[in-house]
Amino acid sequence: MKFRRCMSAIYSSALVLGLTFLFYPQTQHTTAAEPVPSDIVTSEATLPADNSPADISNVPIHNPDSTPDPLPEQTLPSLLTDDTLVAPLSGVADLISSFINAYYANDLETVSALVTDTSMLSAALIEQKSANVSKVENLELYSKPGIDGIFSVVYATYSLYYSDTQTSVPQFSEYYVKRLADGSYRIFTTPLSSDTQKAFLQARKADAVMKLAVSSLIRRYHSACLTVNEPLLRECVTAPEYLNLDYIASRYSVTESFSDYDFILHPGINEFDYIVFVTHKEKIVFSDTPAPCMEYYYIKLDPLSGTPSIYLGITSLDTDAYCAAVTQSDAIQELAEKTNNDMKEALLADDDLKDFYQLLVSNSSADN
């Protein structure tokens, strides 16, 4: 059976007042009559300093035919693998900010002056990635200590605005920073050793870092849904053949914007690595009051780069049972109840939202 993915709570049973919390991603159960597709699409690792908008930046090149074994936990500095994220030093922050702004301004001269190895830069790729970017906003930086000659690992979240669209596209990037003998800093683009690559991959999976990457992914996916941006939608998911563009166009046809996100990551099982529960507010064109929403997504990590994608595909009955148990847990039920209560308050405060909501409920009842 195929279920719809990305059901925002304004359309879902979590906000049909008094009903239980039921969300189903757009997955399929494995059955004898329904074979598993063989061409699942996964994201690929990129060259250092590529800064692909849809992927983690500066990921070293890996052999695509092999998956690196994670290093034993005790071989890595604890600050690299735990959830401690701190603000980078001012010199490091200035370096990363300058690099990101120069990169998306297609300023190759400035970008080249900020890295350790200019041979790893691609002028054609920078031109492609910066095309139509009008500004970079909402830049936030977080750092961890580095190893093996890397002074610091910096994680950046930011939004790109394009001249041909009004919506922003959230990003997540990772940078390695080296401190030179004179005390200055450069972004480390020199190829890393295999062990160092493994260490940074393991560090990337720490909960605090993964939450940054996943939250950026979900925001980027929502941005793509607003404009039904098929290339960007395809970059956000594991198997684009499961995307239902007609449904997405219909579902978000009256949505103006999203805001007030909060994310809870829960371990996944079998086909995917995480379940992310998302609460946010959705502004529709018929109302001045944003509607409180809740939904969940399955998240799959690329085994080479650690890049998260929204999982679309086949799930086993064991996986479905596990997910049903998670959604019925006390913590998630409490979150659903809070979302319901917030929605009740929003409906009482805005007659336009109430009328629209009642129309949705009536249509849903007629469909059933």
Side-chain angles (χ1 to χ4, degrees):
M1 183 176 182
K2 190 171 183 178
F3 295 108
R4 288 178 177 174
R5 158 133 285 312
C6 71
M7 292 191 65
S8 179
I10 190 173
Y11 283 77
S12 73
S13 57
L15 289 180
V16 176
L17 306 182
L19 298 185
T20 56
F21 172 50
L22 295 171
F23 286 121
Y24 293 101
Q26 183 179 318
T27 60
Q28 291 184 322
H29 301 294
T30 303
T31 65
E34 213 162 14
V36 178
S38 60
D39 55 340
I40 300 299
V41 177
T42 57
S43 58
E44 298 179 351
T46 58
L47 287 173
D50 277 358
N51 299 300
S52 169
D55 299 308
I56 294 177
S57 308
N58 297 322
V59 178
I61 299 174
H62 297 271
N63 179 358
D65 297 323
S66 64
T67 301
D69 296 326
L71 291 181
E73 188 77 21
Q74 64 269 21
T75 67
L76 298 178
S78 61
L79 289 178
L80 186 61
T81 57
D82 68 13
D83 276 343
T84 303
L85 290 176
V86 299
L89 297 177
S90 59
V92 173
D94 290 343
L95 169 70
I96 301 302
S97 178
S98 297
F99 179 87
I100 292 174
N101 282 284
Y103 190 98
Y104 289 107
N106 193 23
D107 182 354
L108 186 60
E109 181 179 356
T110 298
V111 167
S112 299
L114 300 176
V115 302
T116 58
D117 186 352
T118 58
S119 69
M120 300 302 294
L121 298 176
S122 168
L125 182 62
I126 294 175
E127 182 177 9
Q128 174 191 341
K129 297 299 183 183
S130 62
N132 297 322
V133 175
S134 59
K135 58 181 176 179
V136 179
E137 288 195 348
N138 307 319
L139 176 62
E140 296 185 11
L141 302 175
Y142 310 84
S143 71
K144 281 178 174 283
I147 58 172
D148 297 341
I150 306 299
F151 174 77
S152 179
V153 182
V154 178
Y155 306 100
T157 61
Y158 51 99
S159 297
L160 297 179
Y161 288 80
Y162 292 83
S163 57
D164 54 355
T165 180
Q166 292 183 341
T167 59
S168 63
V169 181
Q171 310 293 322
F172 173 84
S173 299
E174 177 181 88
Y175 302 92
Y176 308 146
V177 177
K178 182 179 181 64
R179 182 164 59 184
L180 304 184
D182 62 2
S184 63
Y185 300 100
R186 295 290 185 274
I187 292 176
F188 192 91
T189 53
T190 308
L192 302 173
S193 70
S194 176
D195 285 348
T196 304
Q197 292 174 16
K198 294 175 185 177
F200 286 135
L201 175 60
Q202 188 168 328
R204 206 173 294 137
K205 294 180 180 179
D207 287 347
V209 179
M210 190 52 57
K211 186 174 180 179
L212 289 175
V214 170
S215 63
S216 177
L217 168 67
I218 300 304
R219 293 170 192 259
R220 187 164 59 249
Y221 178 78
H222 281 172
S223 176
C225 286
L226 286 180
T227 56
V228 197
N229 184 333
E230 183 177 359
L232 185 55
L233 286 168
R234 294 174 68 88
E235 290 177 356
C236 292
V237 302
T238 58
E241 61 268 27
Y242 285 116
L243 285 170
N244 186 336
L245 297 180
D246 290 338
Y247 168 72
I248 290 174
S250 174
R251 162 65 186 86
Y252 295 99
S253 61
V254 296
T255 303
E256 187 175 297
S257 62
F258 300 95
S259 63
D260 300 332
Y261 283 91
D262 196 13
F263 300 87
I264 298 176
L265 280 178
H266 194 284
I269 188 174
N270 297 331
E271 295 87 2
F272 51 86
D273 299 283
Y274 293 95
I275 310 173
V276 57
F277 295 88
V278 184
T279 58
H280 58 85
K281 291 184 178 179
E282 183 172 344
K283 173 71 170 59
I284 60 173
V285 296
F286 303 122
S287 170
D288 293 330
T289 303
C293 301
M294 182 174 175
E295 56 191 347
Y296 75 63
Y297 297 88
Y298 297 160
I299 303 298
K300 180 74 173 178
L301 302 183
D302 182 271
L304 300 180
S305 68
T307 303
S309 297
I310 296 171
Y311 176 82
L312 301 183
I314 303 296
T315 56
S316 66
L317 294 178
D318 287 344
T319 300
D320 296 335
Y322 171 81
C323 294
V326 171
T327 60
Q328 293 299 321
S329 66
D330 290 343
I332 302 305
Q333 287 293 313
E334 289 173 5
L335 189 61
E337 182 178 3
K338 180 182 183 303
T339 306
N340 273 325
N341 291 335
D342 291 344
M343 184 61 170
K344 290 179 182 178
E345 294 180 4
L347 294 176
L348 290 174
D350 193 313
D351 289 338
D352 291 331
L353 180 62
K354 181 179 179 181
D355 291 343
F356 178 64
Y357 176 78
Q358 289 176 340
L359 177 63
L360 290 176
V361 173
S362 298
N363 290 341
S364 176
S365 299
D367 292 340
N368 294 331

